[in-house]
Amino acid sequence: MSSSSRHILTAPAWPYANGPRHIGHVSGFALPADMFSRYQRMAGNKVLMVSGTDEHGTPIQVKADYEGVTARELADRYNRVIAEDLLGLGMTYDLFTRTTTLNHYAIVQELFKGLYDNGYVFAKTTMGAISPSTGRTLPDRYIEGTCPICGYDGARGDQCDNCGNQLDPIDLINPVSRINGETPKFVETEHFMLDLPAFTEVLGRYLRSKQGDWRPNVLKFALNLLDDMQPRAISRDLDWGVPIPLDGWRDNPAKKLYVWFDAVIGYFSASVEWARRSGDPEAWRAWWQDPEALSYYFMGKDNIVFHAEIWPAMLLGYSGEGDKGGTPGSLGRLTVPDEVVSSEFLTMEGRKFSSSRQVVIYVKDFLERYDVDALRYYIAVAGPENQDTDFTWQHFRERNNNELVAQWGNLVNRSINMAAKEFGAIPAAVDLTDADRALLERSKAGFAAVGAELGRSRFKNAVTEAFDVVREANGYLSAQEPWKIKDDPARKGTVLHVALQVVDDAKSLLTPFLPESSQKVFEMLGGEGEWSGKPRLEVVSEPGGPDYPILTGDYDTKARWESQPIQPGVPLVKPTPLFKKLDESIVDEELARLEGE
């Protein structure tokens, strides 16, 4: 690591453990976070990437009841399914854990007590929704009706996705239960509220300081929410969740902390768990308390309110920095997010992803039929980074064939194949021409250009810039025509050396996006061992709790964000194709699957 390296927290949103992930999910929270983290590690920074499955709340309980299993059994099942999905995508988590650990419970309760002691959490009697037929509490998100503010027909009981305002279920016009369609009954119940209005001023200063750094859509949305901050419930009448750590509440089986409250704390609790597993229980402090450390949170746009408003408010309140002051809790002052990197939505063939309507392709199914790097590349170059984007099979096939196969795969194949055939090893370069030097300089300059875009989470610009280097190298080979050089082996060797140097550079530039194929190119050029890290699935335990799977890995590999000179004389063998060309028939096959044929 360089002496100027920084501690960087990468915090991908926590997938909800009620089913497998589809490609729309991972286009927002997962793949961008991994591309960012891989780059930061290559650049010499100390990255901690943590997350896990979000496993509490009534939706889990409702589905478990429907399937005749316990909530824990359902969470166990989908925790493993999701971990395997993310393993298949090559997500380099330092720790991917879950919210049902004893560690998580303890950290959530500590943050609750810190907020309570500083006066930012208070009890209030409110009107709660219950199902008349079952007597069970209905979660806010399971109640729909017409928004009283904008008139949108389809607002949820906690938030209107049309106007972005926070709501209470009782505010909805004509509310109905999404579970069975009945009209909820509202009864008095006592709950704890997070005093969000007490953070309006400090959040305003915090958000305005991000002007020019955050994506404009994220910052505008977050600033608009400041206009109408309301106290927000952080407990619910539930039998599946984190207990409330106060006398008189702790042993009440019907009162639990709300799932959204405990889930955002997961970024911190996972960091604490990682530190304990690393052998240094205090190691988390370098990412959460060092003023030089940076933190980046990745998610879809439906989660902006939690990450740009509520989580910062919770951290500020625990640190004693809202309107009411206070003192930091026992863990000390905790830093707020440096950037909330929110993507827009990915649709599929013109329709919203919907598991119930089978408008979906799950990660596992995708990876059984296509290369993981093909998906990673598509999300980088054509994903919903700044606007809602439609995934089509035709577009996916074209990107795969015209760019991965015809550009990058072609450059790798013909340069290594020719050098292996003519020289058997990497040839030496002698008497460089202006054209040789120009391409080498262009390739070397790519590290600054691509790195600048990746550092700002501008993935489309970054991968496009990297592919510009590939296109220029293809143009160079076409212009130099080494296959026609018959009587000047030194010149032929020089041209191929230059081409192979650019292939090696491009392999590094593309590693954050295409780690699997970059490993193959590394090996084709004579590299041995692991180029860029891979996650692994482990089963772990904690004192007093059951075993559970985690994702982790060792990511201090040979990959560096710099041009590294290739060495003449390293043996080469005939390469194998880097990517599979996709036949036109796959479009019809996938569309038929989508229609249930």
Side-chain angles (χ1 to χ4, degrees):
M1 293 287 180
S2 69
S3 59
S4 61
S5 65
R6 302 182 83 165
H7 288 85
I8 292 182
L9 177 74
T10 306
W14 290 60
Y16 199 54
N18 64 342
R21 296 303 91 183
H22 58 61
I23 65 169
H25 291 137
V26 300
S27 71
F29 79 88
L31 293 176
D34 186 64
M35 294 168 192
F36 177 83
S37 292
R38 285 178 181 271
Y39 158 69
Q40 294 289 359
R41 290 191 188 100
M42 290 176 73
N45 290 313
K46 301 182 180 103
V47 173
L48 179 62
M49 183 162 119
V50 291
S51 185
T53 41
D54 176 6
E55 300 183 3
H56 292 124
T58 303
I60 296 279
Q61 186 69 64
V62 168
K63 187 163 187 176
D65 290 347
Y66 177 78
E67 295 190 12
V69 297
T70 66
R72 177 70 194 215
E73 287 170 337
L74 189 86
D76 285 347
R77 181 200 310 164
Y78 287 120
N79 163 256
R80 176 167 280 277
V81 166
I82 292 168
E84 289 173 349
D85 288 344
L86 299 174
L87 179 71
L89 290 170
M91 293 284 297
T92 52
Y93 287 100
D94 292 280
L95 179 67
F96 181 85
T97 180
R98 59 195 304 185
T99 58
T100 47
T101 66
L102 300 177
N103 168 75
H104 179 70
Y105 277 46
I107 296 294
V108 169
Q109 291 175 333
E110 165 60 26
L111 261 71
F112 173 89
K113 286 188 286 188
L115 287 163
Y116 180 81
D117 290 344
N118 282 338
Y120 297 109
V121 165
F122 61 91
K124 181 182 178 182
T125 299
T126 64
M127 301 300 289
I130 62 170
S131 164
S133 61
T134 68
R136 173 171 278 169
T137 298
L138 287 170
D140 296 351
R141 282 187 166 232
Y142 271 60
I143 303 169
E144 286 187 351
T146 301
C147 176
I149 299 170
C150 71
Y152 174 64
D153 184 18
R156 299 193 311 265
D158 61 343
Q159 182 177 317
C160 175
D161 286 338
N162 186 56
C163 66
N165 283 289
Q166 297 175 40
L167 300 172
D168 281 318
I170 200 167
D171 298 332
L172 293 175
I173 300 167
N174 300 322
V176 295
S177 165
R178 285 175 53 198
I179 298 171
N180 56 19
E182 66 186 3
T183 301
K185 180 182 177 183
F186 290 95
V187 298
E188 281 195 351
T189 182
E190 189 175 24
H191 283 298
F192 283 102
M193 312 291 285
L194 177 64
D195 190 4
L196 283 175
F199 300 101
T200 303
E201 186 177 334
V202 67
L203 282 176
R205 289 197 304 271
Y206 160 68
L207 291 170
R208 284 188 287 273
S209 74
K210 303 302 180 183
Q211 202 79 44
D213 294 331
W214 288 20
R215 292 178 180 176
N217 57 319
V218 179
L219 189 59
K220 181 180 178 183
F221 183 85
L223 284 167
N224 286 343
L225 292 174
L226 291 176
D227 295 338
D228 186 31
M229 298 283 273
Q230 301 292 330
R232 187 155 182 155
I234 63 168
S235 64
R236 275 293 180 260
D237 295 308
L238 302 168
D239 46 12
W240 175 240
V242 180
I244 297 169
L246 293 178
D247 292 340
W249 296 75
R250 189 190 312 271
D251 300 322
N252 186 338
K255 300 285 185 182
K256 296 289 189 292
L257 291 172
Y258 210 169
V259 62
W260 68 258
F261 179 83
D262 93 77
V264 290
I265 296 173
Y267 300 112
F268 179 50
S269 70
S271 302
V272 173
E273 181 183 347
W274 167 84
R276 179 172 58 80
R277 296 194 180 284
S278 76
D280 178 5
E282 302 300 309
W284 61 266
R285 295 185 187 276
W287 283 270
W288 286 90
Q289 294 179 328
D290 182 348
E292 295 298 312
L294 298 171
S295 56
Y296 298 83
Y297 291 69
F298 291 81
M299 77 227 53
K301 65 180 177 182
D302 54 336
N303 266 321
I304 293 175
V305 63
F306 295 105
H307 294 83
E309 302 271 355
I310 294 173
W311 180 225
M314 290 164 61
L315 290 165
L316 290 164
Y318 183 80
S319 301
E321 295 179 27
D323 287 354
K324 299 175 181 178
T327 57
S330 64
L331 294 169
R333 183 182 180 277
L334 304 174
T335 54
V336 295
D338 284 282
E339 184 169 359
V340 173
V341 187
S342 169
S343 298
E344 301 294 296
F345 288 150
L346 189 72
T347 55
M348 187 173 187
E349 298 290 349
R351 291 179 281 176
K352 285 185 177 181
F353 277 92
S354 171
S355 299
S356 61
R357 298 185 181 93
Q358 296 302 305
V359 183
V360 71
I361 179 161
Y362 293 112
V363 168
K364 181 175 183 291
D365 295 332
F366 196 106
L367 297 182
E368 284 177 351
R369 301 200 283 274
Y370 307 103
D371 292 337
V372 61
D373 280 0
L375 175 61
R376 291 177 66 106
Y377 177 71
Y378 185 93
I379 296 303
V381 77
E385 185 175 309
N386 293 311
Q387 60 186 22
D388 290 353
T389 306
D390 193 40
F391 174 94
T392 71
W393 287 106
Q394 183 62 38
H395 191 207
F396 170 72
R397 175 180 172 270
E398 289 170 356
R399 290 283 190 182
N400 181 86
N401 290 356
N402 299 343
E403 293 161 28
L404 291 179
V405 176
Q407 290 285 339
W408 179 220
N410 180 51
L411 175 65
V412 170
N413 189 69
R414 64 175 177 162
S415 56
I416 297 179
N417 193 36
M418 209 179 314
K421 182 180 177 183
E422 297 286 338
F423 298 95
I426 295 175
V430 294
D431 299 328
L432 294 177
T433 66
D434 288 346
D436 301 336
R437 290 192 186 91
L439 181 61
L440 290 172
E441 288 169 9
R442 171 72 181 89
S443 181
K444 190 173 289 189
F447 287 92
V450 177
E453 298 293 347
L454 276 170
R456 300 178 67 229
S457 299
R458 304 312 195 255
F459 303 105
K460 183 174 183 177
N461 289 351
V463 77
T464 300
E465 178 74 24
F467 258 76
D468 283 347
V469 173
V470 171
R471 292 184 184 94
E472 291 191 31
N474 275 318
Y476 167 85
L477 275 180
S478 297
Q480 298 298 321
E481 299 181 314
W483 53 89
K484 288 186 177 180
I485 302 173
K486 304 297 183 186
D487 53 359
D488 190 351
R491 180 59 194 156
K492 177 181 282 192
T494 297
V495 170
L496 290 173
H497 180 98
V498 169
L500 292 176
Q501 179 65 63
V502 178
V503 165
D504 192 70
D505 288 350
K507 166 265 296 173
S508 300
L509 292 171
L510 289 167
T511 293
F513 314 102
L514 311 175
E516 290 284 324
S517 51
S518 293
Q519 175 70 33
K520 292 176 184 176
V521 175
F522 172 70
E523 293 169 5
M524 289 178 192
L525 290 172
E528 295 180 351
E530 195 169 51
W531 165 246
S532 181
K534 290 184 177 181
R536 64 179 182 270
L537 196 64
E538 290 183 1
V539 175
V540 299
S541 61
E542 61 178 348
D547 293 352
Y548 57 98
I550 62 168
L551 285 180
T552 187
D554 302 311
Y555 307 122
D556 185 13
T557 61
K558 298 171 183 173
R560 295 292 179 268
W561 196 253
E562 61 187 5
S563 177
Q564 301 182 65
I566 57 173
Q567 299 303 314
V570 173
L572 296 172
V573 295
K574 184 177 179 178
T576 54
L578 204 55
F579 302 102
K580 291 182 291 192
K581 190 171 184 179
L582 299 177
D583 190 79
E584 199 167 339
S585 63
I586 72 109
V587 177
D588 293 334
E589 290 169 7
E590 293 295 353
L591 290 176
R593 283 192 182 97
L594 204 56
E595 299 304 325
E597 296 172 19

